[in-house]
Amino acid sequence: MAFSNSHVMTSSRLVETIQINFEDFSESFLTCGTCLNLFDAGEHQPKLLPCSHTLCRSCLQRIMQGPGPGRQAESFRCPICREGIAVPHGGGAAAFPPSFVVNQLLDLMASQRRDLVPKCSIHSGRELLFCETCDTVFCPACLSHQAKADHTVLSFSVAVKRMTEILLYKATLAASQLGSAYEAVCREVETLDANAEACMQSVDQAFQQLRDLVDRRHSTVRETVKRVKEEKRRALKEQLELIGQEKARVESECEGLQYQMDVMAITKKISDLNAKLDTFAGLSEPRENAYMEFSRDSSASGVANANVVDDECLRSVEAALQRCGKVRVSTTHPGLCSVQLLSGADAATAGLRCSALLHTVDYHGRRRRDGDDPVSARLETPGGEQLEIGVVDKGDGSYELNFLPLSAGRHRLDVRVFGRPVRDCPLALDVAGRQRPAAKAGGAGRGSQPGQLQAPYAVAVGRNGEVYISDTGNSRIVVLDSTLRWLGDLGRSACTGQSATGLAVDAGGRLWVANWRQRRVFEVEPVEDRISSSLQSAAFREPGLVAVGPRGHVIVGDAGAGAVFVCDPTLTEADGALLARIDGLSGLTALAVGCHDSAASAVQREPQMLLCCAVGAKLLVYEIGAGQGSEAESAIGIRHSLTGSACGSSAVTGLALDSDGRLLASRATGDVEVHSRPLGEFLCRVVPEEAEKLRRPGGVASLGQGWLAVVDAQGHAVKKFRYV
């Protein structure tokens, strides 16, 4: 709604009325400056103050409210100009005069507004209302619509204004999105032109190289023709010169023979010529032939099949050219592709490798079945650092993304195809600083009941994935499955006296249990739960550690003797042979009571064996000779020593090697280190979360597929963690 324009010319002045929007005029001049409500004839009646500012009656009553209930102030300040205003006696807010100008404008606006606001066709003069909840226009007098108490009912003009604002907002938003879409498509067109130009340059370069190869071969063959021609020509020229020389000699000798009167001289000449005639017969045959012909196949021989060979050669060249170069295109639509975290966002842990899988989709929403898309991915750390991610094309339309978060916190995974982000990227990835165990057994207090452990010491894994725990406090071996569910127990006859500590499994699936109190290492058949044999030696003092060598030899670590022994279980009298003495090992006498100051493990390295021993915070690696019997094996010496801040300074309490040769080392601080190999590169550290902290970790073993099991002697539990 607007006022009309007009120009009125008088003798003294020019009066001009301008066009004013009704809504803008109402908001500017007919709105209370304090509560921003439109003036009306009721609660928001306009009142004129002595300072010439206008406020509604409701705001005046609120401003004039005194400090106590039912009391009003005698004066106040205008909220617009801050001038002091005295309150009329006995009248309050109603005593202030109405604003005549505002009321006149309200009447004018009302008259103009009545011409625009639609009325009910039945009840003239009644304005229509709009129910925003039901999206319905109705007349309140017709009762055609029963608006409920919780419905939002607006006057038609307000509804039109609100809907217009919503429409304008949506239109602006749509225009903005379309503008962004236009810019994105324009960028794609520019990228297409640039890629096409680069592709054309690559095509020209590739085929120029082919042309260069053809030109070089062409020049080589032409030079060969010239060289062969010159060689043949030289041979024939030499023969011509020889023939000319002989001819000239004969002619010179025959000159004056008609005047020769000596018969004997003539006879001799005839004899010489006869001899030369036989020689000249050889000169009559060219010593070099003039044959020269080009064949397209350098390996071809013979003339009979030359045409066939030429055709085959041309076809092979044509086939090779057909295979030379390919314009790669793709129907992948990045906006429809999705990324799936293989381990789940809640499983991401700092220091452990994570994987995600990108599934590509074409423009029609169909899953792609081939690869070769240019996929790039980056991981943004909480500090804003950008880490590159390895992308593996699986060839079936999916791509594996492998990355290693190094710190805890919110990371952002950004995956792009053709440089455009895929759906929902960048993905938020919360990386935990500590790891929650995937499974655990025990931990419910020390005890001997099924599901309970008491001071477990070592862990070993059988051929079928079963997990054996030396439950030292209960003098038994507990058997669990790979998820650490309880299967039973065995080996009580070998674990007497609460002194069975070391545990190992040989290639035949038999258990070897070190009992330091009995000074023996028992061979236990797990299926029949019986002792098959035992190893003992007069040199044993406190054999508490055991490992199995590559040829079935049993390696025994004895902290009491400060030595490592090797035993051949195939011998009837298998006495332990001294393998190595370790400086400082004699000071680890607390091993018998569970201080866990030393650990041992053995791994085959053909034709030798590496023996890893831990003494305190040190890791010593021995190289063992590959003799045929235990007597022939001897420690060559310490090859390396693993110490340093990256590897920790606390005591090593358990050692293990997985199938890939990675070294697992549990430490007294309650974590497990992972190295690429014995004394190799430090890879990561498994740190349990605070609620699952390892209070006194012991033996550790690899469960395969990047999982490990570690025992907690003080927590009376065994826990499963991921380390790859």
Side-chain angles (χ1 to χ4, degrees), residues 503 545-547 555-557 564 598-602 611-614 652-656:
L503 190 63
L545 301 170
V546 62
I555 313 298
V556 180
V564 177
S598 180
S601 179
L611 177 66
C612 306
C613 297
V652 177
T653 58
L655 287 177

Side-chain angles (χ1 to χ4, degrees), residues 538-568:
F540 287 172
R541 293 294 179 265
E542 293 177 2
L545 301 170
V546 62
V548 178
R551 294 186 301 281
H553 293 166
V554 178
I555 313 298
V556 180
D558 192 325
V564 177
F565 301 93
V566 60
C567 302
D568 189 349

